[in-house]
Amino acid sequence: MLLLLTCLLSLSCLSAGQDWAETGYNNSCLYEQEGLNRDGPTEFDCPRFVIESTDQIWNMYRDFDKVESYLRQYMVDDWESISPMGEYVRGMDELIRLVNITLLAFPDIQLHIVDTFCEGNDIDGYKTTMPVIHTATHLGYHPVFGSPTGKTLTWYGVPNCFIKNIDGQWKYTSEINMPDSLSLYSQLGATPPEETWVMPTDDCNQLFDWDTGYINHNLVPFQLRRSNL
């Protein structure tokens, strides 16, 4: 007990001579260098586009052909995404596959949008954020969650996207989806899979590239290489 008290007093004396509140790290460079937004005309109703496209893809139809037609209407062919567990996916075929898997496993899924934020302009495009509450019942097979459990589920999600006007049609180019996956796994009684992707950092640079609409390549996760030893 005396030894512990002595150690605590020593640490107190040490900290008294140093400012432990200062870490030397902050993110001010993100807005100081180029700014987080670009000026330009803003006639396009970005929030309405986000809400209506989301409804048409996820809420209003269960015919796969119709849903696919909306995916092709609203997404570029080389659409890219960082999904739960940091997995990087790219391309229309992969997008269609993921949407179909979700609708087969959760055919009554509904996305209850609670807000939408857009920042950008009609020339460079818009960064979008859409907080949403998902409700669904596990009624079909899912490659991660397995056979249907019949459980009803509710979980939050925050998809962050970039949209651009491409030949007169507004389209999503990329997405970083941040659902509350732990809540979903917990409600289904499932064990989260082991993470196999490495998520890099890139201080002072934004998530999306304003010029291309795609994810900053320095922030794209890469597959974790495991030793065979």
Side-chain angles (χ1 to χ4, degrees):
M1 185 66 182
L2 180 60
L3 178 61
L4 176 60
L5 180 59
T6 303
C7 291
L8 290 173
L9 289 174
S10 298
L11 288 173
S12 299
C13 293
L14 179 62
S15 62
Q18 300 183 33
D19 188 357
W20 290 103
E22 293 291 337
T23 66
Y25 178 80
N26 63 63
N27 288 283
S28 59
C29 59
L30 191 60
Y31 61 81
E32 288 177 345
Q33 291 184 359
E34 296 184 5
L36 292 171
N37 198 5
R38 285 191 176 181
D39 295 329
T42 55
E43 298 297 320
F44 177 63
D45 192 341
C46 175
R48 178 176 177 177
F49 171 84
V50 171
I51 292 171
E52 289 185 347
S53 59
T54 301
D55 279 339
Q56 289 171 339
I57 292 171
W58 288 107
N59 289 332
M60 297 171 63
Y61 307 102
R62 285 300 176 265
D63 177 84
F64 288 149
D65 290 337
K66 193 167 189 65
V67 172
E68 180 178 334
S69 72
Y70 280 120
L71 290 174
R72 295 188 182 279
Q73 176 180 336
Y74 291 125
M75 312 289 188
V76 296
D77 287 339
D78 57 349
W79 168 90
E80 61 178 354
S81 173
I82 299 176
S83 62
M85 304 301 293
E87 181 181 5
Y88 176 74
V89 296
R90 184 166 192 155
M92 181 63 67
D93 290 343
E94 185 67 10
L95 171 61
I96 292 172
R97 184 185 72 84
L98 291 173
V99 171
N100 283 346
I101 285 175
T102 302
L103 292 179
L104 285 170
F106 309 104
D108 64 346
I109 189 171
Q110 292 181 341
L111 274 63
H112 306 264
I113 301 170
V114 294
D115 213 333
T116 301
F117 309 96
C118 293
E119 189 166 38
N121 63 76
D122 298 351
I123 298 172
D124 296 297
Y126 290 87
K127 299 182 291 186
T128 77
T129 294
M130 186 191 74
V132 62
I133 300 172
H134 305 80
T135 57
T137 310
H138 186 203
L139 298 174
Y141 175 80
H142 190 278
V144 173
F145 302 120
S147 299
T149 62
K151 293 182 178 180
T152 56
L153 312 164
T154 304
W155 72 99
Y156 253 105
V158 187
N160 304 280
C161 302
F162 202 99
I163 61 173
K164 267 189 172 295
N165 187 331
I166 300 175
D167 298 327
Q169 172 66 53
W170 284 92
K171 290 178 177 282
Y172 293 92
T173 54
S174 53
E175 171 196 65
I176 310 293
N177 193 13
M178 297 180 175
D180 186 0
S181 299
L182 185 59
S183 174
L184 184 57
Y185 282 103
S186 177
Q187 292 175 65
L188 285 168
T191 301
E194 185 177 1
E195 189 168 7
T196 59
W197 293 79
V198 176
M199 287 172 280
T201 59
D202 187 28
D203 289 348
C204 304
N205 292 297
Q206 295 186 45
L207 175 60
F208 298 112
D209 185 306
W210 279 103
D211 295 326
T212 66
Y214 292 107
I215 300 168
N216 171 2
H217 64 87
N218 291 325
L219 291 173
V220 172
F222 54 91
Q223 195 79 40
L224 180 64
R225 293 181 177 85
R226 298 189 178 280
S227 171
N228 293 325
L229 298 179

